[in-house]
Amino acid sequence: MSEFNSEENRPAEASVFERVSEAHSEPLSRQERLERWYYDTVVVTAKIIWEDIRARIGISILLFIILMGVVGPFIVERPQIGDYPKFIGPFQSTKFILGTDGLGMPIGAQIVHATPAMLKMAFAGAVVAMSIGIVIGTTAGYKGGRVDDVLMTLTDIVLTMPGLPLIVVLAAIYQPENPYVVGFILAIDNWPGLARRLRSQVLTIREESYVEASRAMGFGSPEILRRDIIPQLMPYITINSAGAARSIIYESVGLYFLGILPFTTLNWGVMMNMAYSNGAVSNPMLSGHWLWFPMLVLLLLSLGLILFSQGMDRIFNPRLRARHQRSGDDGDSTNPAVVE
Amino acid sequence: MIETEARPQFALSTYDSNSGMGCYTATRYKTEFGKWLVGMNYYVKRFGQAALTLFAVITITFVLYRMMPGNPIQQMQAQLMSGGNLGFGGSERSPEQVDRLVRIYTGIEPNQPIHIAYFEYLRDIILYQDFGESIWHDQPVFYLLFRAMPWSVFVSVYGLITGISMTIIFGSLMAYYEGSRFDKVMTGIIIVIQSVPYYVGAILMLSFLAFQFGWFPTGGHYDSSLTPGLNIPFMTSVAHHATLPILTGFILGFGGSALGLRGNAIRIIGEDFVRVARLRGISSNRIATYYVGRNAILPLYTGIMMSIASLFGSSIIMETIFTYPGVGWYTYDALMNRDYPLLMGAFIFFTVITVIGILLADLTYGLVDPRASEKGKESY
C-alpha cells in the first residue's frame, strides 16, 4: 500500500499543504496528545521489534522464563528431599517429567524454584552495573577535559582488574547469601565496558545543536545530561542491560557451579554442581539429566537475552521508525513494512 | 610540516562512535619532534596506568586483609589463638606467637599502625616479591604461583589467539558475502555459540571428548611417566592435555565480536574513501587489508582488551573443570581450604598477567592506529 492509495481514500483533502495546515489549526486535546505519544513511543517500538524474527524469539524466551520465575513457584510444589525415588531418568512419569536427582527431588520443580533467585540476581546486577556505567560514562563523555581523564583512568583501572578473581575473593570473605547482594557483587566488573561505550556515544551527541542550545540557555550539566543526552541513549542502554544481565547470570551460575558462592538457595549452578560431583560427567547414563537440564535452561536464557538485544538494535534504525510513524498518521497501521 | 590529513585511509566517524578510545580532530604539529613528544606521552600514560592498576589491586588486598570487618587476619588470629590448626599441630599460643605467625603467613603485622603496615606490605611485595606463605601448601605463595603461571598463560594465550584470528577470518568473510546463504547460516551459528557459556562448553567437551570417547585426558599438564624437556613425546603430551582448555578459551574469545566485525566491515565498504580507492585503481587485496580490514578491526580493540581481562579471570573456572593446575586452579584450591595468603597472591598474580597483556595490546594499538597518540578535544 502506498502513499498514493491512502491519498485517494480522502477525497476531501485536495492538497498536501492544506492537510498539514488543517491538522495544526486547532490544538490537540490532552487525550489526543496522550494517544499520539503512546502510539509514537510504545506501539511503534513494539512493532519494529516484533518485525524482527530474532527479537520475537528472544522476547518469547524471556517472557517464558520470567513467567516461570514469577508464577511458577506458586503452581509447582516446592521440591523436598525424598519426594520420589532417586536417579529416575527423564520422561518416565508425569509427576516428575524431567526425572529426579540423587536425593529424590524432581528436577523440573528445582529448576522452576531456582528461577526467582536467578531473576533477582540478574535484575540487581544489571541495575547496579547500568547505574554506575551511565553516571560515569555520560559525565566523562559530556564534560571532557580533566573530568574525562580522571573518570576514564578509573574506568580503565577497573577494566584491567581481573573481575572474576576479585569477585571470588570478595565472595570467599563475605559469603553473600541474598541474591540481590550476589548480583551487586557480580556487577563490580560489569560497568566499565558500558561506561566506555556510553562515553563514546555521548562524544557524538554532545556536539548536536540541541545540546548546544541547552548549554546556551544556561542549563547545568546534570540537567543537560538528564534531559537531552540520556534519553537519546535509552535504546542503547536497554540493549546493554540485557548484555549485563547475561554476563551476571553466566558468572553467578559459574561460581555456584564451582561451589564458590554458598549453597543457600536452589540455583541452576548448585544443581549442576551436585550433579557434577555425583558423577554426571563420568557416568551420564545415571545422573546426566541432572546436569543437562539446568544447563539447557541456562543456554535458553542466554540465547533469549542475546536475540533480544540483537533485535533491539533495530530501534536504532531511524528510517524504520519514520516509516512506521508515517503509516500511523494515515490511521492505517496494518501496513506491513518490509524487513530488509 | 606533518599534516595528519595525509592519512585518509581511516574512517573517522566509525572510529569515534565505536572504539571509545578517543576523539579525532585534525591537529597539525609544528615539528617532527612535537609529534614524537605527543607519541611518547601516550606510552608514558599507558605505563603509568598499568602501574596505577597494580597499585590499586595491592591496596585492595591490603584493605580486605586488614580493614574490612570480619577480615581474614582477624579470622586467622582467632583460629590460631584457640589453638586451631593452620598447618601446624594445635596448641596454646601466646598473642606474640600468634602475631608472628600471622606476619609470616600474610606479610602483615597485625599490631602495627595501619599506615606503617600498609607501607611494609607494599614494600615487601614490590621489592622482595614476598606474598606471604601458603597455609595449606606450606610454601611461599610466590614460588607456588610463579611455577603455575606459565601453564595458565600458555593455555589462555593460545585460546585468545585462535579465537581472535577465527573472529577476523569469519567476520570479514561474512561481510564480503553479505546477504548470502553463508552469511545467514554463519550468523545463526555464531549466535548459538555466543549463547553457550564457556564453562558449559568445557563441561560438554570434558564429558564427551574426554570421558565418553576417551580422545583427550581428563586432567593434568602432561603424562607424568614422561620426562619433561625438549623431546617429542613430552611436547605432544603437553599439547594433548592443553587442547580442551585451549578450545574453551576459543569459545570465550570467538563469540560476538565476529558479528561486530562483520557490521563494521560492511559499513566501511560503503564509505566514500573505499569507493575512491577503487576508482584510483588500487588492487582489491590492498583495499581489503589496508582500507577495510584495518578500520574494521580498530573498534574491536577495546573488546579484545576486555577479553584479555576476562580470559585470565575465567581460568579459575576453566582450570578447575579440567583439573589443569595453573594459577586459576590454585585459586580454587586456596578458596576451598580458606588459604587466604594464596588467594590474595593469586589475585595479584592475575592482575600482573592481565596488566602485561593489556599493555602489549595497548602498545600495538599505537602502531596500528596512529591517532591513538594524538589528542585534541575541547572540554566544557
Side-chain angles (χ1 to χ4, degrees):
Chain A
M1 191 178 287
S2 72
E3 198 68 20
F4 179 71
N5 277 340
S6 55
E7 208 62 47
E8 268 189 344
N9 293 339
R10 302 180 193 207
E13 287 158 353
S15 87
V16 179
F17 299 107
E18 245 172 70
R19 208 176 102 204
V20 169
S21 61
E22 257 171 43
H24 288 270
S25 59
E26 48 189 295
L28 293 165
S29 73
R30 192 185 165 78
Q31 197 191 345
E32 270 176 319
R33 270 211 310 270
L34 216 70
E35 270 170 18
R36 190 160 287 189
W37 174 85
Y38 171 76
Y39 188 85
D40 282 355
T41 54
V42 181
V43 177
V44 170
T45 308
K47 262 198 267 176
I48 293 171
I49 299 171
W50 199 246
E51 263 170 25
D52 192 66
I53 176 98
R54 288 174 298 187
R56 224 171 341 177
I57 300 174
I59 290 177
S60 314
I61 293 176
L62 290 186
L63 281 180
F64 170 71
I65 287 179
I66 290 173
L67 211 66
M68 188 163 95
V70 176
V71 187
F74 296 104
I75 298 173
V76 182
E77 215 175 304
R78 197 174 176 79
Q80 301 287 336
I81 294 175
D83 270 354
Y84 300 105
K86 294 173 189 175
F87 292 122
I88 307 278
F91 313 117
Q92 297 190 1
S93 160
T94 48
K95 281 184 190 152
F96 40 91
I97 300 170
L98 300 183
T100 62
D101 66 8
L103 299 169
M105 294 201 280
I107 285 169
Q110 285 189 61
I111 292 177
V112 169
H113 278 271
T115 314
M118 296 297 306
L119 294 179
K120 281 179 200 164
M121 218 176 280
F123 176 75
V127 166
V128 172
M130 285 299 114
S131 319
I132 303 176
I134 290 170
V135 169
I136 291 194
T138 52
T139 311
Y142 177 71
K143 296 292 275 188
R146 180 136 300 183
V147 178
D148 184 25
D149 280 345
V150 171
L151 288 179
M152 278 304 114
T153 309
L154 176 76
T155 308
D156 280 344
I157 287 177
V158 183
L159 191 75
T160 328
M161 233 180 248
L164 204 61
L166 177 61
I167 290 167
V168 165
V169 169
L170 285 175
I173 296 178
Y174 295 108
Q175 298 284 311
E177 292 177 1
N178 186 326
Y180 291 115
V181 179
V182 175
F184 183 84
I185 290 183
L186 291 174
I188 289 174
D189 76 326
N190 271 306
W191 65 266
L194 179 86
R196 269 217 161 282
R197 285 193 290 269
L198 280 181
R199 171 179 170 273
S200 51
Q201 295 283 319
V202 172
L203 282 180
T204 50
I205 293 178
R206 73 173 202 155
E207 311 291 345
E208 298 275 346
S209 51
Y210 58 85
V211 177
E212 207 154 317
S214 291
R215 210 159 38 238
M217 280 153 73
F219 286 116
S221 299
E223 184 81 9
I224 294 176
L225 280 177
R226 196 167 50 79
R227 286 175 26 146
D228 294 336
I229 294 185
I230 294 179
Q232 295 293 313
L233 298 171
M234 258 351 255
Y236 196 75
I237 290 171
T238 319
I239 294 172
N240 277 286
S241 45
R246 188 168 65 95
S247 56
I248 281 163
I249 289 171
Y250 267 32
E251 283 177 0
S252 72
V253 173
L255 294 182
Y256 275 113
F257 170 64
L258 287 191
I260 290 170
L261 291 168
F263 289 6
T264 46
T265 48
L266 286 169
N267 184 291
W268 304 335
V270 175
M271 292 173 70
M272 282 160 60
N273 174 291
M274 304 275 277
Y276 192 83
S277 51
N278 275 285
V281 167
S282 49
N283 185 9
M285 286 317 287
L286 180 67
S287 53
H289 58 283
W290 192 3
L291 180 66
W292 304 138
F293 284 116
M295 230 178 206
L296 199 69
V297 184
L298 175 66
L299 287 187
L300 201 66
L301 176 56
S302 129
L303 183 69
L305 284 168
I306 286 179
L307 288 174
F308 172 72
S309 55
Q310 288 201 344
M312 287 292 279
D313 249 345
R314 298 180 68 81
I315 301 187
F316 271 134
N317 191 339
R319 226 179 304 159
L320 209 62
R321 180 170 277 266
R323 187 160 59 203
H324 274 276
Q325 267 159 347
R326 196 174 56 223
S327 70
D329 281 347
D330 292 340
D332 172 21
S333 56
T334 52
N335 186 6
V338 184
V339 182
E340 66 259 52
Chain B
M1 177 150 170
I2 309 288
E3 291 194 1
T4 44
E5 285 96 317
R7 300 191 215 100
Q9 296 101 314
F10 292 103
L12 304 180
S13 55
T14 55
Y15 168 73
D16 209 6
S17 55
N18 283 300
S19 76
M21 293 294 292
C23 176
Y24 175 77
T25 44
T27 325
R28 287 160 201 245
Y29 299 107
K30 286 281 182 289
T31 58
E32 191 73 42
F33 177 72
K35 187 163 178 283
W36 178 80
L37 206 64
V38 175
M40 276 316 285
N41 212 344
Y42 169 75
Y43 295 115
V44 169
K45 207 176 144 192
R46 293 288 132 183
F47 275 109
Q49 205 162 350
L52 212 57
T53 309
L54 208 57
F55 176 73
V57 163
I58 298 177
T59 309
I60 288 175
T61 57
F62 178 80
V63 168
L64 286 173
Y65 255 144
R66 178 75 201 264
M67 285 157 79
M68 290 293 186
N71 61 45
I73 287 202
Q74 287 172 0
Q75 292 178 23
M76 276 169 83
Q77 275 175 321
Q79 214 173 338
L80 287 165
M81 207 54 131
S82 64
N85 193 353
L86 277 184
F88 297 117
S91 63
E92 286 297 310
R93 292 191 186 89
S94 68
E96 290 77 37
Q97 270 177 311
V98 167
D99 286 354
R100 207 171 51 86
L101 283 176
V102 169
R103 156 89 192 145
I104 289 172
Y105 282 127
T106 62
I108 295 174
E109 189 88 63
N111 287 331
Q112 265 174 347
I114 234 146
H115 56 279
I116 296 176
Y118 174 57
F119 172 75
E120 291 194 347
Y121 182 68
L122 267 183
R123 187 198 58 195
D124 285 356
I125 286 183
I126 293 170
L127 291 184
Y128 310 116
Q129 289 87 43
D130 175 12
F131 289 73
E133 191 133 335
S134 160
I135 296 168
W136 190 255
H137 299 273
D138 240 346
Q139 274 175 330
V141 168
F142 182 80
Y143 175 71
L144 274 176
L145 293 178
F146 195 73
R147 267 186 329 171
M149 188 175 66
W151 296 103
S152 296
V153 173
F154 164 64
V155 168
S156 304
V157 165
Y158 272 97
L160 191 71
I161 289 176
T162 46
I164 289 174
S165 34
M166 289 312 263
T167 299
I168 293 173
I169 292 171
F170 276 105
S172 27
L173 278 179
M174 280 158 66
Y176 192 79
Y177 296 109
E178 187 208 343
S180 70
R181 173 178 291 240
F182 169 77
D183 182 27
K184 281 177 189 143
V185 171
M186 274 313 291
T187 306
I189 292 176
I190 285 175
I191 289 176
V192 172
I193 291 183
Q194 208 188 336
S195 59
V196 177
Y198 62 94
Y199 52 85
V200 169
I203 296 170
L204 289 175
M205 286 193 290
L206 185 70
S207 175
F208 289 103
L209 301 184
F211 278 106
Q212 297 300 304
F213 303 128
W215 293 343
F216 291 100
T218 56
H221 291 146
Y222 51 85
D223 194 341
S224 51
S225 62
L226 298 165
T227 42
L230 277 175
N231 52 49
I232 303 277
F234 173 72
M235 282 159 78
T236 37
S237 170
V238 166
H240 195 204
H241 281 72
T243 309
L244 292 184
I246 288 176
L247 274 175
T248 312
F250 169 75
I251 296 180
L252 196 65
F254 187 53
S257 32
L259 291 182
L261 186 81
R262 171 183 173 271
N264 289 335
I266 289 173
R267 198 167 47 226
I268 290 162
I269 288 171
E271 294 270 339
D272 284 342
F273 68 89
V274 175
R275 219 170 300 154
V276 171
R278 276 212 191 98
L279 288 177
R280 278 163 66 201
I282 295 174
S283 75
S284 44
N285 271 341
R286 198 178 157 79
I287 292 178
T289 51
Y290 273 78
Y291 285 56
V292 178
R294 211 167 152 183
N295 279 307
I297 293 170
L298 284 183
L300 298 181
Y301 237 86
T302 330
I304 292 173
M305 286 187 214
M306 279 161 67
S307 60
I308 292 176
S310 67
L311 186 73
F312 290 122
S314 63
S315 67
I316 296 180
I317 298 181
M318 185 269 285
E319 287 176 5
T320 308
I321 291 176
F322 290 115
T323 335
Y324 196 83
V327 179
W329 186 84
Y330 273 108
T331 314
Y332 177 75
D333 181 61
L335 206 63
M336 290 297 117
N337 301 319
R338 291 278 169 270
D339 190 348
Y340 287 111
L342 186 56
L343 185 62
M344 299 294 193
F347 178 41
I348 298 174
F349 254 73
F350 273 123
T351 313
V352 173
I353 302 175
T354 312
V355 161
I356 292 174
I358 288 183
L359 208 55
L360 287 178
D362 255 340
L363 299 184
T364 48
Y365 185 80
L367 296 179
V368 179
D369 182 1
R371 285 168 309 172
S373 48
E374 290 166 7
K375 208 180 174 212
K377 181 155 48 69
E378 185 196 356
S379 92
Y380 296 144

